[in-house]
Structures are given as structure tokens and as C-alpha cells.
């Protein structure tokens, strides 16, 4: 058993769990935060995306015990039904989902992705590695390629992200 | 996943001592945990090296860069010095995996990532890499993603990564600290092994060896290109990739460094091909000869036969782009 302290959405939690417990299972099964979803459990779909120390990561491919003391933001920390983030509102406005299973991962991922672009990080499709990183549709698709949507709501997801990124800049 | 003991390394010596004693390092965990979930790998003990002081990119005395083993792929690709002076490396890293994975994946872990051969991943199947002596199911099975160069009768798997392909073209060195604290440097070109009779061994690391950094030589002049061909536009491994650094002198090729991904058990390089190109004027005939030489011993195994003409075309197109004078890189 490993003891780990996770600071999730600003609140510290003590976790006593087997070393095998992934961050994803810790959030869902131990802390009851079921907003974060398990799709593939192998880093291939992005449904489990959360923000750890400011960076989006796949919570299925990391162990909870590797994150002692880390600050973690899950979808529950990004907004609540009557207090949506700009990006969440944009997903509603643009119909950026159908079944909704991939949506928490899409929103956590896009929230951090907008910050990456703002920090000037280039992407595979950037003509110039030295930016500025403008979030065109092509850039959004490339930067969000780690989040699959089996309902293929992609065009509306891109529209939602473009709108939210534009409003915030 | 099989149960394992977990420890956080506090210092290099602590990490290497534990690893020499049968423990496995975990860095980003994005490859190791994937394989542990499937029980393709089942280490009895994990040593978490994430708290070691290996997360810096610093200047070397000769004007190159030292990339710490724990620098994430994201930080490496976005580093201003790498974007400006080693764009082939930024581009190769950005061509791999996803934003989320690159935030976790480390320089050391990326070098050591294991093959994506389907049978290696499937513990119900024979595989000499996973279980030496059991056979190779890929040889006569589905081998679309497999090697066309340097394979053996024991294994036709490929090294799947992108980052190391660029590092191969850049003549980078891997810095390794062993269990007695000694540090050695191995060219990336010699880090990965061909499968031969021992496909279970991917690279030259011995038990206890800790990768501490990758060292880039001083920046070289010339156009730098990373071209990756894959089954979808993003978030897929390379079927074939080419890293090229080409310097022109007027209308002749002054220097060339080439490396290839997705073709072999290691990032492939062929100095004879580089020599053939140097001092020549670019032409379709010259590029065709370079491709002939590169692929002289290429062999397909059925579903990967297409990689031979594909590689030929990708190489020719990259050389065309790289030798065009005037245009920016
Ligand atoms: C869905 C998916 C898609 C991907 N697509 C691509 C792609 O297109 N291109 C690409 O290049 N990669 C791709 N990857 C692979 C990814 O790049 C690797 O998983 C990652 O780079 C591994 O780094 P890590 O730090 O997470 O390694 P870990 O999983 O922590 O470790 C991997 C191995 O390296 C060893 N190790 C780690 N650090 C050290 C060290 N300092 N010294 C000695 N040994 C060490 C570990 O013991 C382990 O055996 C993909 C992965 C996934 C899951
Ligand atoms: S190609 Fe190599 S990794 Fe794949 S089944 Fe054969 S021995 Fe195993
Ligand atoms: S559940 Fe983590 S990437 Fe699919
Ligand atoms: S909305 Fe159903 S998977 Fe994306």
C-alpha cells in the first residue's frame, strides 16, 4: 500500500492504495470523481485527460503514487452545471457532443491546449516553429488529436474550441 | 497488472543501485504502464526517477545542448534553442503521440520505448522479443508495420519512435551513468541494436544503467526536415519517416545527414547513401541512385512490401525539398 496526497480541484485528499492504482482509478473509484472517463485505459483515446500541475495528461497511464503532493484539476474543477467555464458554454452552444462520453476529456484537454498555444508552443502543422500559435481549425484538430470522439462530433468540437479560444484572447 | 514494489529514487546512485538489483525505472510511464497492464512486462519493482535532477536543457561547453533525461517531449519540442537550431528535433517530437502523451513522455523513456509489434503486445502469441525462443508470429502473420531493413530470422519488429530518428540525423550522444557512478557517452546511432539472435535486447543498456541526458552537438547549418508517413494524419506511429539535414554550397550538396524511422529495429542510417550524395548536384537520377542504394537489401514480408516503394518516394521527395535553394526551411 502507498500513501499519497492528491490535491484535487484545490482540496487535499489522503489516499491509501495499492501501488498499481492509476491516477484515473484513484479519481473515479477512490475519490468518487466520476467525471473523468475511462475509454481505452491505454493512452489511445484521451477520455481520461486531466490537468496535473498545469499540464494535460492521460490519467490512465500514470500511477496515483507518482503524484504525491501534485495539484490536479478534473472536469469537476473546471465548472459546474450552473457555473460553466467559457469552453463548457461554447461546447453547449455549438453542440460539441452527442453521447458526451469523450466530453470531459475534450474539455480538460482543450482548456490546457489553449494555454499551450498562448505560451507559443508550436504543433506538427505549424508552418513556423516560432509562432505565434494561431488556433486555426487545422491547428485545433492537430493539437486535439489525442482526444477521440466515437460520435465524431469533431466539427462542432473544433467550432466550440475556436470560439472559446477567441473570446479568451 | 502484476503486483510490484514501488520506490522513489532520491539520488542517481540510489536509482542505479536499485536498477542493478532487478528494479525497472519508471519515468513518464506512458510506455511501461501500457505494457504492464497487458503483462507484457511484469517488473517486480519500479524505481520512480521523476524526482532526480534531470529536467534541464543546458548549454554545453562546445556550444551544443544537453537535454536531461527527464525533460518532457513537450518541453523539448517547445524549447526556443531547439526550435531555432535543431528544428528537425522539434518537428520529429511534434509528429509523435499526442499533446497529453508528450507532456508525460521523457527524453530517456522515449529512447527506450518498445516496439508496437502486435504479437509482442499479445501474450497469447509466440514472440521472441517477449519470450526468447518461442518464435516470431509476425514473420508470416500481419506485418504491415514491420521492418524492411536489418531484420533477422528471429524478429522483424521496428523501433517505433520519432524523436530518436531526428537525434540520429543530428549525431547526438546518449549520456549514461552506470551502477558504479561512471558516465559514458554512446552515439544515438549505436544505442539501439539490430534484433540478430537476441531480439529481447532493444538497446545497449545494461542492468543499472541510467540515461542521464542526450547531448546535441553544436548546431549545424543547412535545411532540416522531418517527414512522417502514417495511416492517419496525426496520433499514429510512422510507417516510414525521414529526418534530413542538408547543406548546399551553391548548386552542389555540401553535406547530408539522413535517418529513417519505421523501417528497422533501430533508427536507420546509411553512411554510404550520405557519401553518394555529397559533392553532387541534385537531380532525379542522383536521388534515384540514393534510394537504390538505401534499399538494395530491403526485404518485405508480405503486408509490409509497400514500404519499399514508399520509402523510395519519401526519400526522393525529402531530398528534392531539402536541396531546393532559396526557400526557407
Ligand atoms: C497511443 C500512443 C501513441 C504514441 N505515438 C507515438 C508516436 O507517434 N511516436 C513516438 O515516437 N512515440 C509514440 N508513443 C510512445 C511515447 O513516445 C512513449 O511512450 C514515451 O516516449 C515513453 O516515455 P516515458 O517517459 O513515458 O517512458 P516510460 O514508460 O516511463 O519508460 C519506458 C522505458 O524506458 C525506461 N527508462 C525510462 N527512463 C529511463 C532512463 N532515464 N534511463 C534508463 N531507462 C529509462 C523504462 O525503464 C522503461 O523500460 C505513443 C504512445 C502511445 C501510448
Ligand atoms: S517481430 Fe519481433 S516483436 Fe514481433 S512477434 Fe516477431 S519476435 Fe516478436
Ligand atoms: S482511457 Fe486514458 S487515453 Fe483512453
Ligand atoms: S460525444 Fe460521444 S464520444 Fe464524443
Amino acid at each position: 500500500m502507498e500513501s499519497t496526497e492528491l490535491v484535487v480541484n484545490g482540496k487535499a485528499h489522503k489516499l491509501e492504495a495499492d501501488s498499481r492504482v492509476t491516477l484515473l482509478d484513484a479519481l473515479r473509484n477512490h475519490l468518487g470523481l466520476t467525471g473523468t472517463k475511462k475509454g481505452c485505459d491505454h493512452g489511445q483515446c484521451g477520455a481520461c485527460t486531466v490537468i496535473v500541475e498545469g499540464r494535460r495528461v492521460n490519467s490512465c497511464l500514470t500511477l496515483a503514487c507518482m503524484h504525491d503532493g501534485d495539484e490536479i484539476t478534473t472536469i469537476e474543477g473546471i465548472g459546474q452545471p450552473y457555473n460553466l467555464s467559457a469552453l463548457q458554454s461554447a461546447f453547449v452552444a455549438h453542440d460539441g457532443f452527442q453521447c458526451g462520453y469523450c466530453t470531459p476529456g475534450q474539455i480538460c484537454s482543450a482548456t490546457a491546449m489553449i494555454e499551450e498555444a498562448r505560451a507559443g508552443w508550436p504543433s506538427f502543422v505549424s508552418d513556423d516553429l516560432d509562432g505565434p500559435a494561431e488556433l486555426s481549425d487545422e491547428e485545433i484538430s492537430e493539437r486535439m488529436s489525442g482526444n477521440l470522439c466515437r460520435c465524431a462530433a469533431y466539427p462542432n468540437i473544433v467550432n466550440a474550441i475556436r470560439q472559446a479560444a477567441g473570446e479568451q484572447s | 497488472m502484476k503486483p510490484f514494489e514501488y520506490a522513489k529514487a532520491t539520488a542517481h546512485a540510489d536509482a542505479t543501485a536499485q536498477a542493478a538489483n532487478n528494479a525497472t525505472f519508471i519515468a513518464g510511464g506512458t510506455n511501461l504502464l501500457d505494457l504492464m497492464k497487458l503483462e507484457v512486462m511484469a517488473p517486480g519493482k519500479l524505481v520512480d526517477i521523476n524526482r532526480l535532477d534531470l529536467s534541464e536543457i543546458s548549454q554545453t561547453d562546445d556550444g551544443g545542448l544537453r537535454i536531461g533525461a527527464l525533460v518532457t517531449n513537450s518541453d523539448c519540442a517547445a524549447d526556443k534553442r531547439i526550435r531555432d537550431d535543431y528544428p528537425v528535433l522539434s518537428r520529429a517530437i511534434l509528429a509523435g503521440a499526442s499533446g497529453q502523451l508528450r507532456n508525460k513522455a521523457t527524453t530517456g523513456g522515449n529512447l527506450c520505448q518498445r516496439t508496437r509489434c502486435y504479437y509482442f503486445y499479445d501474450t497469447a502469441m509466440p514472440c521472441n522479443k517477449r519470450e526468447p525462443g518461442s518464435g516470431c508470429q509476425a514473420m508470416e502473420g500481419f506485418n504491415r508495420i514491420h521492418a524492411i531493413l536489418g531484420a533477422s530470422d528471429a524478429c522483424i519488429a521496428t523501433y517505433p519512435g520519432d524523436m530518436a530518428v531526428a537525434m540520429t540525423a543530428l549525431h547526438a550522444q546518449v549520456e549514461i551513468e552506470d551502477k558504479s557512478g561512471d558516465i559514458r557517452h554512446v552515439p544515438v546511432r549505436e544505442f539501439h541494436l539490430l534484433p540478430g539472435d537476441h531480439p529481447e535486447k532493444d538497446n545497449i543498456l545494461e542492468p543499472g544503467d541510467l540515461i542521464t541526458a542526450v547531448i546535441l552537438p553544436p548546431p549545424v547549418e543547412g535545411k532540416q526536415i522531418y517527414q512522417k508517413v502514417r495511416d492517419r494524419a496525426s496520433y499514429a506511429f510512422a510507417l516510414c519517416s525521414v529526418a534530413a539535414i542538408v547543406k548546399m554550397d551553391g548548386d552542389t550538396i555540401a553535406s547530408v545527414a539522413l535517418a529513417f524511422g519505421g523501417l528497422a529495429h533501430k533508427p536507420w542510417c546509411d553512411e554510404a547513401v550520405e557519401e553518394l550524395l555529397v559533392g553532387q548536384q541534385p537531380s532525379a537520377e542522383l536521388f534515384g541512385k540514393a534510394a537504390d542504394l538505401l534499399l538494395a537489401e530491403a526485404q518485405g514480408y508480405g503486408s509490409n512490401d509497400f514500404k519499399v516503394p514508399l520509402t523510395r518516394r519519401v526519400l526522393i521527395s525529402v531530398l528534392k525539398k531539402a536541396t531546393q535553394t532559396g526557400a526557407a526551411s
Side-chain angles (χ1 to χ4, degrees):
Chain A
M1 293 295 257
E2 299 296 325
S3 352
T4 309
E5 185 179 281
L6 300 177
V7 184
V8 186
N9 304 327
K11 193 165 160 242
H13 296 265
K14 279 265 178 232
L15 179 75
E16 293 286 330
D18 191 284
S19 54
R20 288 173 289 183
V21 172
T22 60
L23 179 59
L24 172 59
D25 289 343
L27 292 169
R28 289 181 55 85
N29 303 345
H30 294 255
L31 307 183
L33 292 168
T34 53
T36 308
K37 301 296 184 232
K38 182 183 287 192
C40 65
D41 215 19
H42 285 278
Q44 298 173 359
C45 74
C48 66
T49 305
V50 298
I51 302 171
V52 177
E53 297 284 312
R55 298 257 168 121
R56 52 178 172 153
V57 304
N58 304 97
S59 61
C60 69
L61 282 190
T62 190
L63 298 171
C65 59
M66 293 168 72
H67 293 283
D68 196 23
D70 281 358
E71 302 244 0
I72 294 152
T73 304
T74 66
I75 189 68
E76 291 90 346
I78 284 181
Q80 290 294 326
Y82 297 100
N83 181 23
L84 299 179
S85 76
L87 190 62
Q88 287 173 317
S89 302
F91 265 70
V92 175
H94 288 275
D95 228 355
F97 44 82
Q98 289 179 35
C99 76
Y101 197 80
C102 71
T103 314
Q106 300 279 2
I107 288 177
C108 284
S109 183
T111 301
M113 181 278 283
I114 292 170
E115 293 305 317
E116 293 170 2
R118 196 165 291 157
W121 289 14
S123 87
F124 177 68
V125 299
S126 307
D127 287 330
D128 185 350
L129 289 175
D130 259 335
E134 303 278 358
L135 288 180
S136 64
D137 289 3
E138 191 192 14
E139 284 278 0
I140 293 171
S141 303
E142 166 58 26
R143 290 169 191 263
M144 291 297 294
S145 71
N147 291 85
L148 305 192
C149 174
R150 289 310 300 268
C151 303
Y154 297 114
N156 296 357
I157 294 173
V158 170
N159 290 340
I161 295 173
R162 191 189 336 91
Q163 183 195 313
E167 281 170 2
Q168 286 168 42
S169 64
Chain B
M1 229 188 293
K2 292 258 165 57
F4 55 85
E5 223 185 299
Y6 171 82
K8 287 185 171 73
T10 51
H12 294 196
D14 169 39
T16 54
Q18 296 196 53
N21 201 7
N22 258 327
T24 299
F25 297 132
I26 184 161
T30 59
N31 189 226
L32 185 57
L33 291 171
D34 186 13
L35 292 165
M36 285 172 65
K37 287 183 184 193
L38 299 166
E39 300 186 359
V40 172
M41 290 178 76
K45 182 167 185 184
L46 288 189
V47 188
D48 181 348
I49 58 174
N50 283 292
R51 319 249 152 170
L52 299 182
D53 56 343
L54 298 171
S55 306
E56 295 286 313
I57 301 181
S58 54
Q59 201 91 33
T60 58
D61 292 341
D62 67 355
L65 285 181
R66 182 178 182 280
I67 307 168
L70 292 172
V71 171
T72 64
N73 280 177
S74 294
D75 284 327
C76 189
D79 187 274
K80 176 90 175 110
R81 294 160 291 185
I82 294 187
R83 279 195 255 172
D84 288 349
D85 296 333
Y86 307 93
V88 68
L89 181 56
S90 281
R91 295 253 177 225
I93 291 173
L94 294 170
S98 66
Q100 290 96 313
L101 287 160
R102 292 191 296 269
N103 277 341
K104 269 270 155 200
T106 64
T107 306
N110 193 316
L111 277 178
C112 299
Q113 65 175 294
R114 309 210 65 190
T115 187
R116 309 304 285 202
C117 170
Y118 328 115
Y119 305 102
F120 174 71
Y121 265 80
D122 184 346
T123 53
M125 292 290 173
C127 167
N128 288 324
K129 186 181 277 298
R130 183 170 25 76
E131 213 180 309
S134 62
C136 172
Q137 191 69 28
M139 205 74 73
E140 289 178 358
F142 290 100
N143 47 38
R144 177 174 166 74
I145 63 173
H146 288 73
I148 55 166
L149 288 167
S152 72
D153 292 342
C155 177
I156 59 171
T158 55
Y159 169 76
D162 292 292
M163 180 195 81
V165 178
M167 288 176 171
T168 298
L170 287 164
H171 288 270
Q173 307 258 336
V174 188
E175 181 187 281
I176 299 164
E177 182 169 334
D178 72 12
K179 55 178 189 264
S180 30
D182 290 335
I183 293 185
R184 66 186 194 278
H185 293 95
V186 176
V188 173
R189 291 182 176 219
E190 291 162 27
F191 179 80
H192 298 96
L193 297 169
L194 288 178
D197 294 332
H198 289 284
E200 71 281 5
K201 210 164 156 41
D202 293 343
N203 57 50
I204 51 99
L205 292 181
E206 295 296 334
D209 281 352
L210 173 71
I211 299 174
T212 46
V214 169
I215 297 181
L216 302 180
V220 288
E221 282 178 63
K223 205 181 275 186
Q224 303 192 9
I225 293 176
Y226 190 75
Q227 180 81 49
K228 176 172 178 177
V229 180
R230 43 186 157 174
D231 277 331
R232 56 183 187 196
S234 186
Y235 201 18
F237 287 92
L239 291 167
C240 167
S241 71
V242 180
I245 305 170
V246 177
K247 183 171 182 287
M248 297 297 290
D249 181 6
D251 59 359
T252 58
I253 301 171
S255 67
V256 194
L258 293 170
F260 301 83
L263 304 184
H265 201 257
K266 58 186 290 187
W268 191 258
C269 54
D270 188 332
E271 282 164 18
V273 174
E274 296 170 350
E275 279 161 24
L276 177 118
L277 292 161
V278 172
Q280 306 294 319
Q281 295 193 344
S283 70
E285 195 197 343
L286 178 70
F287 298 161
K289 275 192 195 153
D292 288 342
L293 186 59
L294 174 75
L295 295 164
E297 306 204 339
Q299 190 196 336
Y301 295 86
S303 8
N304 70 346
D305 291 347
F306 74 95
K307 280 193 181 182
V308 181
L310 175 68
T311 302
R312 186 185 175 82
R313 289 178 195 142
V314 179
L315 173 61
I316 291 173
S317 112
V318 165
L319 286 174
K320 259 190 204 152
K321 212 154 81 185
T323 53
Q324 260 162 24
T325 38
S329 62

